Amino acid sequence: MKQKVKRFKYLKGNFSGKYRGERIEFLLSLESLSYQIDFYDCEVTDCKEIISETEIEIKSDKIIERELLKDVLVEYPDESKENVFYQEDLEQVKIIDYHFTDVIKDGTQTYGTIKGTIYSSLGYEEEVDVEVAPISVAPVKIVSTKEKVEINQPAKQVVSEQNSGCLPSFGWALSWILLIALAAWLGASGLLAVGLIGLIGWLISKLFTRFPILGTIFSWIIALLYIGLILFSFIYAFLHPYQSHTPSRNRNDNRPTQTTSSDDSEKNNENPVRDDTRYNADSNDVLIKHAIYWRDYAQNKFSDTTKVWLSTYINSKQNRQNINLYLDSKTEWNRLYSTIYNFDKSNLDSLYSMLSAIKKRNNLSSRQFLDVTVSCIQNIPYSKILDYSCEEERARSRSSSYFITDNTACLGNVEYGIQTPNEFLYNLKGDCDTRTLILYTILSYFKYDVVILCSTTYQHSLLGVNIPSYGTYKSFNGKKYYTWETTNPGWMLGQIPPDVSNLYFWDIFMYNSN
């Protein structure tokens, strides 16, 4: 008969991937430090199958071992002898002669890239012919009750009853409920408490392996402690109403005090103002205007009018709609931004003239003009731009307290979830990447060295500016690009919202050569 049997082949190759690590300080030795490291985005190239047993004998002073490494891109030849990447789960992993690069440390956490040589096994199933042997009954010799019973069969494995009992097992099962409860109600402090108790419990249980009675007593104590903590968490939840700890992706939370007065912010008109006095009979065109009011970071007041021809808006929108991209990589996003930027940058003369006039009229320095320009866009009310309907998003938000509320302005069914600079001037609606793109376009025109920073982890976009400053910055091509949040007033150069502040998860998606 046919039966599937799991086989293994052993591989060797060049390993690379990203890692995140959490430092652990053991209580028994304060000088002993270790890191709990998780790997992701891993791949193995130049992979070959190991046939000789001598190759499997690994000798190295630097070695990392894992029983299982999931979802690894492995490059090895297919049937046509061409190298192809496959996504595999590798077992019995050994990474030797490794080294770390791009290391970022944040408190007890560390992030970076790891490279080295990997040895691992790759499991696969193979059908084999199996012969079914006849069943034979082992002879049993029955003797008197006072004598031994001899059975010609293997002795059964003895199962320790050290952890038997209903309450300890029930207590360990409820620990999962406790983790969920404390994560929701107590946040990081609750998880830290459970983690410390679990670590202490594991260490002490190891010490009691040679003393079963003490181990049983300790299991009961831990079970009761867990149940007590569960009761405490429910009491705490009852006294303190639930609050979500999930950061809002539209950056409406945890912001500095708004620098624009409520009177000024309410003056910014959301609906286009059609100025028929500028009707162009030759082209049957109409000028769309908005009166805007804002204050810079020094509380200086400014006001002006944005203008865009209706035909310019339509052409810009059609250019975006004609783009055909999947947006499944950094390169695709760069192509999207570049296509929009290259089309719109030469069709913003009225905006360039407005800002130039403000600079000249107020005798602004280069740095002052930069603050005035960014604060102008910041003070325009936030609107969510979606590539699906706003009602669908609001329905999600009501169930998850995430993204937007019923009062958040929203523009739905927009391809790629972004508006072009001329679309933004037409309706003054934009979220993070719409705003960073128009500021990138404006500041590039005025010869500032700027970049667009994006994070797929945080699903957010920031502006980056290379000028002498202080605060948070991302290094790129030997330069420091200081971060600038654009979705709400009050954020200054070098500041970044705390919930998106890990720069390891930020990348440069677009830059100029100024």
Side-chain angles (χ1 to χ4, degrees), residues 107-234:
T108 61
Q109 295 181 330
T110 181
Y111 306 86
T113 302
I114 180 174
K115 295 182 179 180
T117 302
I118 187 171
Y119 292 81
S120 67
S121 61
L122 178 62
Y124 63 95
E125 290 186 342
E126 181 181 357
E127 282 192 349
V128 297
D129 292 321
V130 179
E131 293 184 2
V132 181
I135 301 175
S136 59
V137 179
V140 179
K141 179 181 179 182
I142 302 177
V143 296
S144 65
T145 56
K146 292 184 180 180
E147 297 177 354
K148 294 181 179 179
V149 177
E150 296 181 2
I151 303 177
N152 296 335
Q153 297 175 351
K156 292 184 178 180
Q157 181 180 359
V158 178
V159 179
S160 171
E161 297 183 357
Q162 175 179 336
N163 294 322
S164 63
C166 175
L167 187 57
S169 300
F170 180 68
W172 291 113
L174 285 181
S175 65
W176 290 101
I177 301 174
L178 174 62
L179 283 171
I180 297 173
L182 290 179
W185 292 318
L186 302 183
S189 60
L191 287 176
L192 180 61
V194 173
L196 287 174
I197 293 174
L199 178 61
I200 295 172
W202 180 80
L203 290 173
I204 297 179
S205 65
K206 290 295 182 182
L207 297 176
F208 288 157
T209 53
R210 300 183 63 180
F211 305 97
I213 297 177
L214 292 178
T216 302
I217 295 173
F218 179 73
S219 298
W220 278 79
I221 294 173
I222 290 296
L224 292 173
L225 184 58
Y226 269 112
I227 294 173
L229 284 174
I230 291 173
L231 293 176
F232 169 76
S233 66
F234 278 105

Side-chain angles (χ1 to χ4, degrees), residues 458-474:
Y458 297 129
Q459 296 193 12
H460 193 43
S461 177
L462 298 170
L463 185 69
V465 184
N466 172 35
I467 62 171
S469 187
Y470 57 90
T472 303
Y473 63 87
K474 181 78 173 179

Side-chain angles (χ1 to χ4, degrees), residues 331-347:
T331 302
E332 292 277 277
W333 278 101
N334 178 266
R335 288 179 59 191
L336 173 66
Y337 292 150
S338 298
T339 304
I340 295 174
Y341 166 75
N342 289 327
F343 186 88
D344 274 42
K345 67 179 181 180
S346 58
N347 296 300

Side-chain angles (χ1 to χ4, degrees), residues 380-433:
I380 295 174
Y382 179 92
S383 298
K384 191 71 182 175
I385 309 298
L386 303 171
D387 56 0
Y388 49 92
S389 72
C390 295
E391 284 306 315
E392 181 181 350
E393 182 58 27
R394 289 193 175 96
R396 296 179 184 178
S397 301
R398 293 187 192 104
S399 62
S400 65
S401 300
Y402 205 53
F403 272 119
I404 62 175
T405 66
D406 291 335
N407 297 324
T408 304
C410 179
L411 186 62
N413 299 314
V414 178
E415 289 85 350
Y416 307 114
I418 186 175
Q419 286 212 108
T420 69
N422 276 298
E423 287 180 286
F424 182 74
L425 293 179
Y426 174 79
N427 54 29
L428 294 190
K429 290 182 182 293
D431 52 10
C432 57
D433 50 359

Side-chain angles (χ1 to χ4, degrees), residues 328-383:
D328 55 357
S329 68
K330 177 181 173 180
T331 302
E332 292 277 277
W333 278 101
N334 178 266
R335 288 179 59 191
L336 173 66
Y337 292 150
S338 298
T339 304
I340 295 174
Y341 166 75
N342 289 327
F343 186 88
D344 274 42
K345 67 179 181 180
S346 58
N347 296 300
L348 295 168
D349 292 341
S350 64
L351 181 60
Y352 299 149
S353 299
M354 182 195 85
L355 293 170
S356 295
I358 291 175
K359 181 179 181 181
K360 183 177 180 181
R361 186 166 58 246
N362 294 276
N363 193 26
L364 300 175
S365 66
S366 176
R367 177 55 197 270
Q368 290 172 331
F369 177 69
L370 181 63
D371 287 347
V372 169
T373 302
V374 175
S375 61
C376 172
I377 300 301
Q378 285 179 333
N379 276 269
I380 295 174
Y382 179 92
S383 298

Side-chain angles (χ1 to χ4, degrees), residues 31-43:
E31 297 181 355
S32 177
L33 298 178
S34 181
Y35 284 89
Q36 177 64 44
I37 294 180
D38 296 320
F39 297 116
Y40 63 100
D41 290 348
C42 300
E43 66 177 43

